Amino acid sequence: DPDVLFFDQPTELLADLDPERRFFGRFNLPRRDADPRGAFAIDPAALRERVGVELPLRFNSGLSSINYAAANWEWVEHILKSVPPDPERAFLLEQTIFFLLAERGGWEALPTERYVLEPVESLHGVVARHYFGKTRDLLYTEGLPELIRRGWHR
């Protein structure tokens, strides 16, 4: 996402550049559980009933390493035909599709203390911070000033 700032070298993401890896993706996760109805474009109950897939309580596709060779697009198409997305939540369709691909192809979490979604007391040790919609103002008041302080604006 364009609202991700890197404060250090993302070794976990750079290590994932091998297209032969066995899983689909590595994702940054929130530290707290959230209602899947606020994170995905499909109804969790319908997905569970019709397809047997459970939406996670913690998932975010904004900062990730993706192995497109492990993508099963036919399976995603099958799911979305079985459980059509809610047009009111169409803005969550990308994240929904990434989760479905990850569910089928396997996925791992990035370390939440190094790849951060929520506000933190300090950016010490933080490799990347995803300033998603609810915290985007911190991109300008925290993230960019921190990069300037470190001299990375040159």
Side-chain angles (χ1 to χ4, degrees):
D1 278 0
D3 52 6
V4 172
L5 287 183
F6 289 89
F7 300 100
D8 203 350
Q9 183 168 324
T11 55
E12 292 89 351
L13 293 174
L14 295 173
D16 279 344
L17 296 179
D18 180 4
E20 300 300 317
R21 74 175 185 208
R22 295 184 307 272
F23 58 94
F24 172 72
R26 191 182 308 266
F27 299 90
N28 69 317
L29 302 183
R31 293 180 182 189
R32 295 178 191 90
D33 291 351
D35 186 342
R37 291 176 293 184
F40 300 99
I42 55 181
D43 179 56
L47 182 65
R48 184 182 323 105
E49 292 167 11
R50 295 180 195 161
V51 187
V53 171
E54 190 76 35
L55 290 174
L57 298 177
R58 296 180 189 190
F59 189 82
N60 187 282
S61 64
L63 174 57
S64 55
S65 170
I66 304 298
N67 178 8
Y68 285 105
N72 187 328
W73 295 105
E74 293 81 17
W75 191 72
V76 170
E77 185 175 2
H78 164 72
I79 298 291
L80 296 179
K81 284 181 180 176
S82 300
V83 186
D86 177 356
E88 296 291 319
R89 297 185 295 170
F91 66 97
L92 296 167
L93 192 55
E94 175 190 359
Q95 180 157 286
T96 302
I97 290 171
F98 275 133
F99 170 72
L100 294 173
L101 290 169
E103 173 67 15
R104 188 64 164 197
W107 62 286
E108 296 179 4
L110 289 165
T112 58
E113 68 279 358
R114 293 173 45 81
Y115 296 85
V116 180
L117 275 169
E118 292 87 359
V120 292
E121 293 292 321
S122 166
L123 291 171
H124 178 73
V126 172
V127 171
R129 170 89 162 81
H130 183 190
Y131 295 97
F132 67 113
K134 294 178 184 176
T135 63
R136 192 158 302 124
D137 60 317
L138 291 174
L139 172 74
Y140 306 104
T141 61
E142 171 192 271
L144 295 176
E146 178 66 14
L147 289 179
I148 291 169
R149 186 187 70 72
R150 294 182 187 194
W152 292 2
H153 63 286
R154 295 181 194 142

